[in-house]
Amino acid sequence: MKKRKFGLALSLVLAAGTILGACGKAEKEEAKGKEEDSFSVAMVTDVGGVDDKSFNQSAWEGLKEFGKEHGYEKGKGIDYLQSKSNSDYTPNLNTLVRKDFDLIFGIGYLLAEPVAEVADQRKNAKFAIVDSVVEKDNVASITFKEHEGSFLVGVVAGLTTKSNKIGFVGGVDGSLINKFEAGFIAGVKSVNPNAEVKVQYAGDFGKPEIGQQIANSMYSQGIDIIYHASGGTGNGVFTAAKDLKKKDPNSYVWVIGVDRDQSEEGKIDDQTNVTLTSMVKRVDIAVKDLANKTKEGNFPGGEIIEYGLEQDAVSIAPTKDNVSEEALKAVEEWKQKILKGEIKVPSTREELKAMKF
């Protein structure tokens, strides 16, 4: 009888041990799963804001796509902080560092200095800068060949203008937006040497009222197509074109958008749209790509990653309703010339001056 009781007690002890062991293993696996899934990434916008219908918005769309792949959502794995002025950049970056985000993006070249400053102070944090280069071991730099995409929309403009007067509205005058300007003018002149391109800078990426003023002035001078590379300021260019079209449905005015397919921005009604095309810069692809690399343990700190025609990271917009067959054919021909190295698209005003048209 005692042996029976002892055997029963031993069985109960063993069973309990097995259950506890299984529970412990389950808890460890659950903890491991949580640890593996604890990766988080966030971004700081420039003054254009997350809904600028341009590159800040595109960057956030990239993070949202990354989130969908991994089961994250805003506030849980992915997030952003918006900057209302330049003075917000450094505090916003530091806030995200304090919240222990594994990767922090600075969106736009205006954040280059703040990213460099915070990266120096926070050696263990990982950063990425979009549209600039920060030479730090804990910063990955994302750049684009915007001049190549701008060349292609320049081809469209050169073959579409009726007045041979075309405009370019930039945000802040500097090396980055000069790439858009130089590439665009080269594209226009390559197919239409007689066309004149007037260039004007707004001095800001978040002032649509200035963009509207500049556009109204250009359209009043007979310019019929304006390419803007000015972030949220460009919303004012669309407003000016739409207002003119509403007043006079027969007016010939177009806008070429930037960064995203901005066909929606030019829509007046189901039949009328002032967006000719857009130079699409896939900031979303770059942001998502880098977030995935970092999550997998392959953060390219200290490296410059450049995206261009070869990666389909710059192109004309998929919406082609207002682009003629002649222009679309020419775009493809010039694209192949660029890819084959038969033509080098200028990225500076100096390189543009050296070209012969």
Side-chain angles (χ1 to χ4, degrees):
M1 196 71 180
K2 285 181 181 177
K3 285 183 181 178
R4 258 184 177 177
K5 283 183 179 177
F6 178 75
L8 179 60
L10 182 62
S11 298
L12 290 170
V13 169
L14 290 171
T18 303
I19 292 167
L20 288 170
C23 288
K25 186 179 179 183
E27 284 174 4
K28 282 180 182 177
E29 285 179 355
E30 186 181 351
K32 185 182 177 185
K34 283 181 180 176
E35 187 179 333
E36 287 176 351
D37 202 42
S38 66
F39 183 83
S40 60
V41 55
M43 57 177 255
V44 174
T45 76
D46 76 356
V47 292
V50 77
D51 56 354
D52 64 350
K53 300 177 177 63
S54 190
F55 64 97
N56 285 294
Q57 186 168 330
S58 182
W60 177 236
E61 286 169 357
L63 277 193
K64 287 194 289 185
E65 282 300 312
F66 169 76
K68 281 181 187 176
E69 278 189 4
H70 301 286
Y72 304 147
E73 59 185 44
K74 188 181 184 309
K76 295 179 181 178
I78 58 170
D79 214 336
Y80 64 80
L81 289 179
Q82 300 197 76
S83 305
K84 293 181 179 178
S85 69
N86 293 359
S87 61
D88 291 334
Y89 299 152
T90 299
N92 281 344
L93 290 166
N94 275 316
T95 297
L96 296 180
V97 172
R98 285 194 297 271
K99 289 185 176 181
D100 290 327
F101 280 93
D102 295 286
L103 177 63
I104 299 165
F105 283 91
I107 308 301
Y109 78 93
L110 293 174
L111 278 91
E113 285 189 22
V115 165
E117 177 189 336
V118 178
D120 267 340
Q121 298 165 354
R122 312 279 191 162
K123 300 286 188 184
N124 294 326
K126 295 182 178 72
F127 301 89
I129 181 71
V130 176
D131 277 349
S132 191
V133 174
V134 173
E135 296 178 348
K136 306 286 180 187
D137 291 339
N138 57 338
V139 181
S141 301
I142 294 173
T143 62
F144 294 85
K145 296 179 181 178
E146 295 95 347
H147 48 301
E148 293 182 348
S150 297
F151 183 97
L152 298 182
V153 295
V155 168
V156 174
L159 294 174
T160 306
T161 180
K162 288 183 176 179
S163 66
N164 273 352
K165 293 180 180 179
I166 297 168
F168 174 84
V169 176
V172 176
D173 193 347
S175 59
L176 174 64
I177 306 303
N178 291 167
K179 289 168 72 177
F180 292 81
E181 175 193 329
F184 178 64
I185 295 173
V188 170
K189 294 283 190 178
S190 292
V191 296
N192 187 350
N194 296 320
E196 175 192 347
V197 182
K198 180 179 175 61
V199 175
Q200 191 167 344
Y201 281 79
D204 202 293
F205 289 107
K207 293 289 179 68
E209 64 277 12
I210 297 177
Q212 186 174 355
Q213 289 169 10
I214 294 172
N216 279 328
S217 174
M218 285 186 171
Y219 287 132
S220 70
Q221 296 170 46
I223 286 170
D224 55 9
I225 300 171
I226 297 175
Y227 173 38
H228 92 88
S230 56
T233 296
N235 295 337
V237 178
F238 283 102
T239 300
K242 287 192 286 188
D243 285 350
L244 285 170
K245 197 72 173 175
K246 287 173 187 174
K247 288 176 186 174
D248 179 7
N250 295 317
S251 60
Y252 192 78
V253 289
W254 296 105
V255 182
I256 295 177
V258 76
D259 296 328
R260 300 170 71 250
D261 184 341
Q262 293 194 306
S263 56
E264 278 299 310
E265 311 320 309
K267 188 176 180 180
I268 296 174
D269 53 45
D270 291 339
Q271 285 77 42
T272 313
N273 194 313
V274 297
T275 303
L276 178 58
T277 185
S278 302
M279 195 288 279
V280 177
K281 184 169 84 169
R282 299 300 302 272
V283 180
D284 57 332
I285 287 178
V287 165
K288 180 184 172 186
D289 180 47
L290 187 57
N292 273 315
K293 280 187 170 76
T294 307
K295 188 177 191 299
E296 292 161 5
N298 299 315
F299 174 66
E303 296 180 23
I304 301 170
I305 308 140
E306 188 175 44
Y307 297 84
L309 283 179
E310 292 171 284
Q311 295 81 22
D312 288 324
V314 294
S315 64
I316 69 166
T319 303
K320 300 178 173 71
D321 300 352
N322 293 324
V323 184
S324 69
E325 286 300 319
E326 176 197 8
L328 288 175
K329 184 180 177 183
V331 164
E332 186 55 35
E333 289 172 355
W334 284 98
K335 177 182 176 180
Q336 291 307 315
K337 287 180 182 180
I338 296 168
L339 288 171
K340 291 174 183 176
E342 294 174 12
I343 177 175
K344 184 179 183 298
V345 179
S347 61
T348 66
R349 290 168 180 163
E350 290 71 26
E351 289 176 357
L352 177 65
K353 286 177 184 175
M355 286 190 76
K356 293 179 180 179
F357 301 107

